[in-house]
Amino acid sequence: MTSIRSPGQIALALAIALFLGVFLIVPVATVVYVAFTEKGGGGLTLVNFLDFGRTDLFVRSFWNSVYVSAMTVVWASVLALPLAYLTTRFEFRGAMLVQTLGFLPLIMPPFVGAVAMQLLFGRNGSVNLLLDEWFDFKIGFMEGLNGVIFLQAIHYFPFILVNLSAALRNIDRSMEEAAQNLGSHGLRLFRRIALPLALPGYIAGASLVFVKVFDDVATPLLLNVKEMLAPQAYLRITSIGIDDPMGYVISVVLILVAVATMWATALVMKGKDYATTQRGGGGLARRQLKPREQVLAYAVVILILALVLAPHVGLVLLSFATVWSFSPLPDGYTLAHYTRVLGDSSVYIKNTLLYAGLAAAIDVVIGGAIAYLVLRTRLPGRQWLDWAASTALAVPGVVLGIGYLRAFYGVSLPDGTPLATLWIVIVLAIAIRRLPYALRAAYAALQQISVSLEEAAENLGATKARTVRRVVIPLMTGGLLAGFVTSFATAAVELSAVLILVQSNSDAPLAYGLYVLMQTPAGRGAGAALGVIAVLIVAICMWLSQLAVDRSQRARGMDI
Amino acid sequence: MSKPARAVGIEISGVNLSYGSTHVLKDIALSIRPGEFFAFLGPSGCGKTTLLRLIAGFAQAQTGQVLLDGQDVAPLPPWKRDVGMVFQSYALWPHMTVAKNVAFGLEERRLPRGEIDRRVAQALELVGLSAFAERRPAQLSGGQQQRVAVARTIAIEPKVLLLDEPLSNLDAKMRVSVRRELRALQQRLGLTTIFVTHDQEEANTICDRIAVMDGGKIQQVGTPMELYEHPANLFVANFLGSANILDEKSGVPIPPGKRLVFRPQHAALSAPESAALRGPVTHREFLGATVRYGVRLGESEVLIETPFQSGSELRSVGDQVGVDLPPRRMLFLPA
Ligand SMILES: Nc1ncnc2c1ncn2[C@@H]1O[C@H](COP(=O)(O)OP(=O)(O)OP(=O)(O)O)[C@@H](O)[C@H]1O
Ligand SMILES: [Mg+2]
């Protein structure tokens, strides 16, 4: 890093700082400020928080959210543990299948399948109808908070699975053999040695799941659960208005919970970074399953796989169903929903492609620029850009939406329309939400490029700017492309910020349309068709991104 | 730590072990006596670790038997063998304190808490680490970690102690002191112990008997002195100390299919006229207590070490010398 500060770099850094300031810091600061001021613009006060604490509904919602998030982590762990154990400890042909599960939550956020799951697992859903007929009982999978827990757990357990299996694979084989040698075996051995060593990985996954569930607005609302904190924030703002302080207080509480969770995670992880991979044979010893264990293992995997695929299957069925209620399967099948969606509802799809495309482009440009400034220059304060961009992780979508609404409603364009009602604001909100991920991708891409390649270009007479254009950007293309596609895919199904910012149906993206359609029984079929289309878009993007990464690695002659 | 009630012997016979198509252990037969400090010595990759893992139950042989105290251990999984193994990497659990590491095996045996505490304290005392009980393994030096690994293993009072290159991660000075400690400990406990190493000095200094291994086969078993004085083949002769190996091209009469082997310090230089073997000095190295000469015999070259006394006259390169080799120092080994 020999760079001197050039005016171009300073201008770039300032531009990014301005962008982050206006579209991230200001909205969030506004939310916090409003939460601490008296209604109607008085002085600073804590009275709003006292009100929050005195309102039964909010306190109940808070504890409901804590309960649902915690129980989701518990159930997600129940699903993830046996799978992680199976795939890392045994020669097991289902292992590939299980690992592929890891991508499913990226393909479809939980709200998309919520209604379909209601039809499959609800009080009068397929499973309960069959149970009732055969065994004369029903299970309340979807009753109240249970429904949210059930849905979130089967959506988010792969986060735990992926982190936990990676951690388990990194444990040196002799760690386990030493324990066996001292008389330990079986589950006890797993609990005393492998599990504690894999704990950091587990906690990373679990805290991610906790925060995601805590911040989710759409899934509880689609299951008609209103008494949770994030939905309350949304309902307050949309039903009472942007002047009501309670929505802001709840937002601050949401931020605090996210920050506290991340902080607690960091605290627990401290000093637990066991680098146990040592010389001599990595990974836990795998053993062959006995025939009886095979049967059991496959049964577990198939059961979990069925659960994970249930929302997808339900969604597809629903999208082709004529009528589907009080029966295990739809009464008949039709293509009408797709014609409807591709006809008059196609604006949703068009908007989604536009918004997600723009948001991903913004993310890649800003993420790439921040990565370059941080890794390749000595600009003072460059680290602040990174921190600022990363704080977006702790800001729930609904909070960002509320912040935009409040901060930009007063700002009008020359013709008098408030800034907050423009569709471009939706794009910016989505871009800010996805920026931390694009930033990681950009870091990864840039770190693979040796500084000496740039120095060679400069040595041959290229200026800084030309070096960036002719050497850095071409070499980063693969990584940035992967970042773009991932941002695009996840932006396409972003809902919580969008829910607050959409002002008219004609400006709404697909996720919003799906949410609206799913509210009424008549719209469900079309909603499901939109959902299937969303899943397809995201799945294709994921595949493309994988392709981009592979190709850029091959282009650089790296072994994969 | 109390002496185990009775030390046990290990009998290995007819063992063959392959990983896929690699034949790693070939026809291994060994008899290790109760209370013996036994070494597996051999170059890297010769199968020492594999043989140790076989005894501990982490590897399965295709043929043959391992008897512990007269009992076939094949049906026993590792956790039922009561064979304490100290791993080459120590394998201390980073999430447990030193005391917890040492207590692990005792807890697995469901001993009462008081008994566990007593034996942990005893084991740590024995390896001189009582003051470190509450540390984490990462906060210890390599030598201390190694002693924790030993303490953890002997705390369960195993029937047999297996040590896989326990000194390889230590510096040279540490190695000498730790191996003395190990030997003293083994003597105090009277524990049958197998020590894996590829360093002959290590094996010679602390072990009662040594099995020299090469290419998955046991080449010879004996005390360090037996192996040195009476190597069974060229590999053993070469692996333990330096040896001159001559064939008929040296001009020395050697039976067909054999080689003449002798140690450099067993031959002496004499006047060329009276000697049966003679040739020119090719080089000379001064080693302090001895002087090492290279002497050309026919097409071969031998090394000869003579004691150095101050004032004694040294030969120079190019001098014709005679080589005196007492017949009882001549070994004829199969080529
Ligand atoms: N799991 C395995 N699969 C295939 N081959 C193996 C396996 N483990 C060991 N081997 C092979 O068996 C041979 C003996 O290995 P072993 O680890 O016993 O050697 P060693 O004598 O302990 O060597 P070192 O002194 O280097 O530790 C080696 O050639 C090794 O490549
Ligand atoms: Mg070895």
Side-chain angles (χ1 to χ4, degrees), chain B residues 19 22 24 42-51 88 164-165 196 198:
Chain B
Y19 288 118
T22 353
V24 179
S44 185
C46 69
K48 309 178 295 286
T49 298
T50 308
L51 186 50
Q88 190 163 355
D164 192 359
E165 306 208 23
V196 165
H198 53 240

Side-chain angles (χ1 to χ4, degrees), chain B residues 147-212:
Chain B
R147 284 185 277 164
V148 176
V150 172
R152 182 174 73 177
T153 309
I154 58 177
I156 62 166
E157 296 179 4
K159 288 189 204 152
V160 175
L161 184 60
L162 307 178
L163 303 161
D164 192 359
E165 306 208 23
L167 311 181
S168 59
N169 291 338
L170 309 184
D171 63 43
K173 208 160 149 197
M174 193 79 184
R175 219 174 283 186
V176 175
S177 70
V178 174
R179 83 183 177 214
R180 278 194 196 127
E181 282 172 34
L182 271 179
R183 174 69 185 179
L185 192 69
Q186 189 267 347
Q187 294 285 295
R188 227 174 316 156
L189 299 175
L191 202 55
T192 312
T193 300
I194 302 178
F195 181 96
V196 165
T197 177
H198 53 240
D199 179 344
Q200 50 133 340
E201 185 190 318
E202 231 166 74
N204 285 338
T205 45
I206 57 172
C207 294
D208 298 320
R209 285 197 304 151
I210 299 172
V212 181

Side-chain angles (χ1 to χ4, degrees), chain B residues 283-304:
Chain B
H283 64 265
R284 187 182 78 194
E285 289 163 9
F286 176 62
L287 301 177
T290 55
V291 181
R292 180 189 293 150
Y293 294 99
V295 178
R296 177 173 304 289
L297 295 180
E299 288 177 26
S300 319
E301 191 180 276
V302 296
L303 295 178
I304 292 167

